């Protein structure tokens, strides 16, 4: 298929998909096309789209592409939709989530050790919000459940993948800069 | 600690007198308090004056107790750790013990723990900022091509256990409702408990009293639990003195 | 408001609206703006959008504006929806699956007793989705069919084996925690 033929279709599919559309999902629609070629086209669609548009944008999140409004228009969108700002996660939930994101897969006991706090109810909240999920059991006594972040986590925080998170070492440098 | 958070957390303790509310900040955990004390006094984290910090830490705990704020176990663990470090600092290096040429600073494990904690706090802050941005964008709401079925959920393992738990709760409620109208015999209650335990190998004793039930029913339930324990069909145990009692089916 | 400021917002609002967006609805968001001016901007947004795009278009329908895919791509959109992984279950199916997962092998009558609800059609759905399978017959009167989860079930939920499923006790620990 020609680029000029494929690109509009990709745009249409990113638009109708109800979750970030990944290259592997696109490959299932176009099994004859090379993955590299599909990715190249999708990247071009994204860049051209974002150059042209001021009201919407295509973003690379959770290993896929998704169309959203731009953050700077949030007040107008809220006013039209008549919605209040959504509830944010509590500090306890965010800290627990940070531990899980950086130490995954991780058990409840390990989270307790790092945070110095029992974090069961924060874990429950994060499970309810589908930001984390179970990842089998650890091969130690008691075989405790392991937890890791979900795809929803990437979408919720606008991350392309886990590698996009700053490393813990980068935070360490930040702390050193502050304390010295 | 983030100033905004401490304020809102203090506000949740509405029984704290106004005069004390200003002084007392509520920290999420012992490490948050320690980091706060260190930062406020501009202390070098690698050279913590352990005696002074311990004293301030214990003082804070004392105020918490005075205000009847529940002091959870982790606060006491940290207090013990601080006291232990303090006493180790007072000991002169033991010349009799060989193989310890480089005396390790007894504060180091705590310092490492605090630095680690600090990193995760920064990570949480980063997540907070990202979330703020993401909550200001919207995706495509149009549903023309989406599933038509009602009440669709995208299920994971947690949804399965949640659904099963829900079913077990309903099952238990059905049992309780059936007997509200009539008097209950010990035999009936034994049958009910057995079928409940077939579904759920472990039951919390308190779960029987979540519904409003008659005193008669309560007593019969208690007798049935005792009877089953006597017959060694179940084990009854408690992790801590005032903890909920757990009833576990004895595996055949 | 300047045209250059208003137009991107109009585009964003047409995108987030779940029905065609009329000028009068837009006027509610921008009460200070003249209706003629808002309409002029909306028309410009539509024309520019349609000139640029090959995958989606803004259409003026039923006295309002809406964004849709182009008809010539509908075949591909249908193709995508067909291959789209469907991890979704109705509540009845989820509950039935939960009972089967935790009590297997189990008969229809037993599922009915535990759920307190007839589950015949949910069982059929789960068989169709290959999440469950038959496991012979129970040696009681009537020799009813026994059901259990399939290998597909493990793959679908990312489990290595059934022992990885959280137990009721583990779940209750999460919800009973009152510490934070």
């Amino acid at each position: 298929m020609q680029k000029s033929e494929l690109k509009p279709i990709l745009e249409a599919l990113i638009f109708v998909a109800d979750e970030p559309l990944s290259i592997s999902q696109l490959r299932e629609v176009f099994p004859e096309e090379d993955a590299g070629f599909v990715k190249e086209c999708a990247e071009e669609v994204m860049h051209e789209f974002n150059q042209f548009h001021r009201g919407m944008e295509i973003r690379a999140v959770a290993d896929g592409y998704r169309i959203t409004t731009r953050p700077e228009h949030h007040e107008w969108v809220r006013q039209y939709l008549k919605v209040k700002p959504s509830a944010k996660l509590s500090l306890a939930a965010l800290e627990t989530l940070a531990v899980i994101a950086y130490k995954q897969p991780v058990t409840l006991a390990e989270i307790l050790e790092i945070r110095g706090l029992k974090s069961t109810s924060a874990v429950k909240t994060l499970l309810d919000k589908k930001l984390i999920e179970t990842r089998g059991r650890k091969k130690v006594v008691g075989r405790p459940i392991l937890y890791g972040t979900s795809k929803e986590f990437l979408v919720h925080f606008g991350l392309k993948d886990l590698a996009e998170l700053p490393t813990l070492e980068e935070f360490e440098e930040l702390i050193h800069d502050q304390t010295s | 600690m983030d100033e905004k958070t401490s304020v809102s957390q203090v506000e949740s303790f509405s029984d704290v007198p106004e005069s004390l509310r200003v002084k007392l900040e509520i920290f999420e955990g012992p490490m948050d308090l320690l980091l706060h004390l260190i930062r406020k006094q501009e202390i070098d984290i690698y050279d913590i004056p352990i005696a002074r910090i311990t004293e301030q830490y214990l003082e804070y705990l004392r105020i918490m107790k005075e205000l009847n704020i529940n002091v959870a176990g982790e606060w006491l663990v940290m207090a013990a750790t601080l006291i232990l470090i303090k006493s180790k600092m007072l000991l002169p290096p033991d010349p009799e013990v060989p193989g310890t040429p480089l005396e390790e600073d007894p504060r180091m494990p705590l310092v490492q723990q605090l630095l680690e904690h600090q990193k995760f706090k920064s990570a949480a802050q980063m997540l907070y900022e990202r979330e703020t941005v993401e909550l200001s964008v919207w995706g495509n709401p149009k549903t023309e091509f989406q599933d038509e079925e009602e009440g669709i959920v995208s299920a994971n393992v947690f949804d399965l256990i949640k659904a099963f738990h829900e079913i077990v709760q309903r099952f238990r409620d059905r049992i309780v409702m059936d007997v509200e109208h009539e008097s209950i015999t010990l035999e009936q209650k034994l049958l009910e408990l057995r079928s409940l335990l077939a579904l759920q190998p472990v039951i919390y004793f308190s779960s029987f009293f979540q519904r409003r039930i008659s005193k008669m029913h309560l007593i019969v339930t208690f007798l049935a639990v005792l009877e089953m324990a006597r017959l060694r069909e179940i084990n009854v145990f408690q992790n801590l003195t005032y903890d909920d009692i757990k009833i576990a089916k004895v595996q055949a």
Side-chain angles (χ1 to χ4, degrees), chain A, chain B:
Chain A
M1 203 183 273
Q2 295 291 310
K3 252 190 193 177
S4 60
E5 202 182 337
L6 184 58
K7 278 164 62 179
I9 305 172
L10 295 187
E11 186 179 270
L13 296 184
I14 295 170
F15 174 73
V16 298
D18 53 6
E19 54 177 0
L21 194 59
S22 68
I23 297 295
S24 63
Q25 280 170 302
L26 285 171
R27 279 292 308 290
E28 284 183 49
V29 185
F30 308 101
E32 279 105 75
E33 306 297 334
D34 174 69
F37 177 67
V38 174
K39 188 173 168 67
E40 190 187 318
C41 289
E43 289 288 319
E44 281 185 29
V45 166
M46 177 166 76
H47 289 125
E48 286 160 17
F49 191 98
N50 293 348
Q51 267 197 340
F52 175 77
H53 280 283
R54 295 290 168 266
M56 319 150 46
E57 60 183 341
I58 294 186
R59 309 163 73 211
V61 284
D63 277 322
Y65 301 90
R66 120 181 237 236
I67 301 183
T68 66
T69 57
R70 287 176 183 260
E72 60 262 38
H73 298 134
H74 73 108
E75 278 180 39
W76 296 107
V77 175
R78 260 193 206 117
Q79 199 172 325
Y80 164 69
L81 293 173
K82 299 190 172 71
V83 287
K84 293 210 179 78
S86 324
K88 290 184 181 173
L89 292 169
S90 70
L91 190 66
L94 280 172
E95 284 188 17
T96 307
L97 188 54
V99 172
I100 295 172
Y102 281 96
K103 294 286 176 183
Q104 59 186 313
V106 67
T107 67
L108 270 179
E110 288 163 347
I111 299 171
L112 162 68
E113 198 178 318
I114 294 170
R115 288 196 67 215
L117 278 174
K118 248 191 123 181
S119 310
T120 5
S121 69
V123 167
K124 167 77 168 38
T125 306
L126 297 170
L127 281 166
D128 278 335
K129 290 188 186 283
K130 290 192 189 296
L131 295 171
I132 59 168
E133 55 195 16
T134 58
R135 288 279 170 77
R137 291 174 181 280
K138 188 164 182 167
K139 287 183 185 117
V140 294
V141 181
R143 300 190 48 80
I145 295 177
L146 287 162
Y147 296 96
T149 54
S150 64
K151 193 174 164 185
E152 186 55 38
F153 166 80
L154 297 174
V155 177
H156 190 90
F157 293 98
L159 294 160
K160 195 169 165 213
D161 47 40
L162 285 174
E164 214 191 318
L165 285 173
T167 63
L168 277 182
E169 285 70 40
E170 286 172 81
F171 288 120
E172 199 171 351
E173 282 163 27
L174 201 78
I175 294 162
H176 276 289
D177 293 347
Q178 280 172 358
T179 46
S180 59
Chain B
M1 156 162 284
D2 187 327
E3 211 178 279
K4 255 190 327 217
T5 328
S6 23
V7 169
S8 67
Q9 284 174 347
V10 167
E11 279 167 357
S12 66
F13 289 86
S14 49
D15 52 342
V16 177
E18 189 74 42
S19 54
L20 278 166
R21 253 188 253 179
V22 192
K23 278 189 195 161
L24 181 71
E25 288 185 74
I26 304 299
F27 295 94
E28 249 202 282
M31 287 204 270
D32 277 329
L33 170 59
L34 285 181
L35 283 171
H36 171 81
L37 292 173
I38 289 166
R39 203 173 307 140
K40 207 175 70 179
Q41 301 169 86
E42 292 177 356
I43 289 167
D44 176 6
I45 195 161
Y46 291 100
D47 189 20
I48 301 172
I50 207 79
R52 189 166 97 209
I53 290 289
T54 304
E55 194 181 304
Q56 290 167 346
Y57 183 91
L58 295 176
E59 172 67 8
Y60 181 85
L61 245 58
R62 198 185 56 74
I63 298 174
M64 269 172 88
K65 276 184 183 157
E66 225 161 69
L67 294 171
N68 284 323
I69 296 169
N70 181 34
V71 178
E74 52 260 14
W75 290 90
L76 304 177
V77 171
M78 180 60 83
T81 306
L82 287 171
I83 293 166
L84 184 69
I85 296 172
K86 195 175 114 182
S87 62
K88 275 189 184 165
M89 300 278 294
L90 294 173
L91 288 175
D94 189 348
E96 299 294 305
V97 179
T100 51
L102 280 171
E103 193 62 38
E104 210 205 308
D105 189 332
R107 296 173 295 184
M108 269 330 272
L110 179 64
V111 170
Q112 290 306 335
Q113 208 185 354
L114 285 170
L115 286 173
E116 185 82 352
H117 183 71
Q118 180 75 276
K119 274 190 269 179
F120 286 108
K121 286 195 84 70
S122 308
Q125 180 64 31
M126 176 271 305
L127 289 177
Y128 175 84
E129 282 156 17
R130 293 199 77 107
E131 185 184 40
T132 309
V133 174
E134 291 309 309
L135 289 176
S136 355
V137 305
W138 282 264
N140 180 8
K142 298 178 186 67
T143 51
E144 52 177 332
F145 292 109
Q146 288 170 12
D147 293 285
E148 286 143 30
E149 228 176 311
E150 289 272 316
I152 298 285
V153 287
S154 175
N156 64 22
V157 168
F158 183 65
D159 295 313
L160 276 180
I161 183 64
K162 211 155 68 168
F164 189 57
H165 182 256
E166 183 68 26
I167 293 162
V168 171
Q169 295 293 321
R170 275 200 326 245
F171 187 83
R172 179 163 31 212
D173 286 354
R174 280 210 311 275
I175 290 177
V176 174
M177 276 198 312
D178 286 348
V179 298
E180 266 178 345
H181 306 288
E182 48 193 305
S183 58
I184 171 102
T185 66
L186 188 59
E187 283 67 34
Q188 282 173 316
K189 195 74 227 176
L190 281 170
L191 279 177
E192 284 168 17
L193 278 179
R194 280 179 191 129
S195 53
L196 193 56
L197 280 163
L199 270 185
Q200 185 179 17
V202 176
I203 306 172
Y204 284 91
F205 199 68
S206 65
S207 67
F208 293 123
F209 314 122
Q210 277 162 7
R211 280 180 143 268
R212 198 164 38 83
I213 55 171
S214 69
K215 200 179 278 177
M216 183 62 184
H217 184 86
L218 208 142
I219 293 166
V220 177
T221 304
F222 192 66
L223 289 175
V225 168
L226 290 180
E227 176 66 7
M228 287 177 79
R230 194 184 65 81
L231 296 170
R232 295 181 194 258
E233 287 179 53
I234 55 171
N235 284 321
V236 180
F237 53 97
Q238 214 177 5
N239 290 339
L240 291 169
T241 306
Y242 293 103
D243 245 15
D244 202 349
I245 297 165
K246 279 202 258 184
I247 299 164
K249 191 180 175 186
V250 173
Q251 298 304 321

